[in-house]
Amino acid sequence: MFFSLNSAYAAIDTYEFKDAEKQARFHDLVAELRCPKCQNQNLADSNSAIAQDLRQKIYEMLESERSNPEIVDYMVARYGDFVLYEPRFNSQNAILWLGPFVLLIAGLLVVIFLVRQRGKDDSAKENTLELDAKQQKRLQKVLNKDKK
Amino acid sequence: MPRLLLFIPLALFGVLILFLWKGLSLDPRELPSALIDKSFPAFKVESLLQPERKLTMADVIGKPVLVNVWATWCPSCRQEHDQLLRIAQENKIAIIGLNYKDNRAAATQWLSELGNPYQLNIYDESGMLGLDLGVYGAPETYLLDAQGIIRHRHVGVITEQTWQELQTIMQSWGAN
């Protein structure tokens, strides 16, 4: 981790920004955009030719006063949603965003159903345990007999 | 009925296995192009062999073409070169080269040594046309229809099998 950060900053340092705000945005952008070639690295970490080109492009776009969403849209238009480390919600990945909530609700419904079912069973059992007056009398008789 | 419910975990396990099995045969490097069914990006770039000539969209549209991204620094490009020569010989589709981030002298020498399957070669020294096209490495090949719309992208070496697949796609246009 330490080394990868180091190399990332070495690569970034070749770009000189006039104001610190742009430099901060540059750091954010190269961290959240993914290198299309090396796949498990962001643009900051990668030294592949394409990552260098894309860093150069981001630098140029920042210097020409383009906003962050514009730059991200530019990359997505060319390389697809793949380049985003923070994926957007769309029809293709909706199941991944919503799936857990659907499962959670389904699980809750099952739990509620089971608890209710069990509650019914318990009250049914209590009913059968209740004795009427005649049975109570007999029970007392039996218990008293035992004491003697 | 409760007995059947006991099989639910097994069924879920089966589904999981299917997904994992499918995952084994997927190539994570094969990304869909973001430009499928979109127009080839507009450009105005020098020709490789005629530096004074500027190539533009007008040189690409009019008939279906293969745009092959290549460079002399790319070993797989040498590997697919013979296949490109065969495709050129069959004369079913024109191949346009996109010489990507390369050196003009080396590229010219490569073509004279190995043969030139390309009708035209775009000399994209800065790689900016490649960037507009979403290229992330060579070789890559794009199939364009007569209107210059990108219909298919192939990442990696073109083999005889790839060529058959490309021809199938082209035939499906003829049917429409």
Side-chain angles (χ1 to χ4, degrees):
Chain A
M1 190 62 200
F2 177 77
F3 289 106
S4 73
L5 274 178
N6 249 0
S7 69
Y9 282 49
I12 286 166
D13 279 343
T14 53
Y15 297 104
E16 280 186 20
F17 288 90
K18 279 167 214 141
D19 58 282
E21 183 257 339
K22 271 184 193 161
Q23 183 149 15
R25 281 167 60 202
F26 182 83
H27 282 252
D28 289 346
L29 283 167
V30 293
E32 75 184 43
L33 289 171
R34 184 176 183 182
C35 167
K37 179 76 187 169
C38 14
Q39 307 214 343
N40 288 328
Q41 288 181 306
N42 58 23
L43 289 182
D45 272 339
S46 172
N47 259 328
S48 72
I50 187 67
Q52 284 168 19
D53 280 2
L54 293 181
R55 283 198 297 266
Q56 174 68 30
K57 194 77 203 176
I58 292 173
Y59 172 74
E60 284 167 15
M61 289 179 87
L62 281 172
E63 289 292 285
S64 56
E65 306 297 333
R66 307 283 283 275
S67 71
N68 281 20
E70 274 180 315
I71 295 173
V72 171
D73 285 345
Y74 175 93
M75 296 298 166
V76 171
R78 282 155 186 78
Y79 292 94
D81 284 324
F82 178 85
V83 293
L84 301 173
Y85 262 128
E86 270 178 52
R88 293 167 172 176
F89 180 86
N90 62 32
S91 60
Q92 271 188 321
N93 60 23
I95 190 170
L96 295 177
W97 283 100
L98 301 179
F101 296 106
V102 171
L103 286 178
L104 183 69
I105 290 169
L108 280 176
L109 286 179
V110 168
V111 168
I112 290 172
F113 175 77
L114 286 177
V115 167
R116 281 195 161 184
Q117 197 82 341
R118 186 158 298 172
K120 261 186 205 163
D121 284 355
D122 284 352
S123 57
K125 264 179 205 160
E126 270 168 33
N127 281 338
T128 56
L129 280 178
E130 257 171 44
L131 304 173
D132 57 27
K134 212 175 165 189
Q135 287 171 319
Q136 286 282 1
K137 230 176 179 177
R138 226 184 119 198
L139 177 67
Q140 287 301 327
K141 230 177 176 178
V142 172
L143 290 174
N144 287 338
K145 217 185 230 172
D146 253 16
K147 277 184 191 163
K148 278 177 190 169
Chain B
M1 188 59 193
R3 188 154 268 234
L4 277 178
L5 288 179
L6 292 178
F7 286 97
I8 288 179
L10 185 67
L12 288 176
F13 178 71
V15 171
L16 182 69
I17 289 292
L18 275 179
F19 272 93
L20 293 176
W21 181 260
K22 176 77 181 147
L24 282 179
S25 59
L26 290 179
D27 184 354
R29 283 165 304 167
E30 233 168 71
L31 302 178
S33 170
L35 288 164
I36 291 291
D37 292 336
K38 294 199 182 129
S39 178
F40 193 84
F43 66 98
K44 193 175 180 189
V45 186
E46 280 174 24
S47 154
L48 172 69
L49 299 175
Q50 301 157 277
E52 68 290 345
R53 182 175 168 198
K54 292 270 189 217
L55 300 173
T56 62
M57 265 309 267
D59 295 294
V60 176
I61 52 179
K63 55 190 181 322
V65 289
L66 284 180
V67 176
N68 177 245
V69 182
W70 67 284
T72 55
W73 47 259
C74 147
S76 313
C77 297
R78 187 175 283 263
Q79 207 180 322
E80 70 173 7
H81 200 80
D82 286 339
Q83 182 62 42
L84 289 175
L85 287 169
R86 276 196 292 276
I87 295 173
Q89 222 162 28
E90 281 186 40
N91 211 10
K92 284 180 183 154
I93 190 166
I95 309 175
I96 291 181
L98 177 59
N99 187 239
Y100 180 61
K101 295 178 73 118
D102 206 354
N103 171 289
R104 178 171 266 140
T108 310
Q109 197 193 349
W110 161 297
L111 290 180
S112 59
E113 267 175 25
L114 299 175
N116 184 355
Y118 306 108
Q119 209 166 63
L120 290 167
N121 251 302
I122 306 165
Y123 183 57
D124 186 22
E125 189 180 15
S126 63
M128 282 301 136
L129 175 56
L131 207 158
D132 280 340
L133 194 54
V135 169
Y136 58 85
E140 280 185 28
T141 305
Y142 295 79
L143 177 60
L144 272 56
D145 67 13
Q147 284 77 44
I149 310 291
I150 298 170
R151 292 301 182 189
H152 183 78
R153 169 212 232 174
H154 177 76
V155 175
V157 174
I158 290 211
T159 60
E160 182 59 35
Q161 196 195 342
T162 325
W163 173 224
Q164 297 301 335
E165 286 165 16
L166 290 173
Q167 281 177 298
T168 315
I169 298 172
M170 282 153 58
Q171 274 155 14
S172 72
W173 301 343
N176 289 340

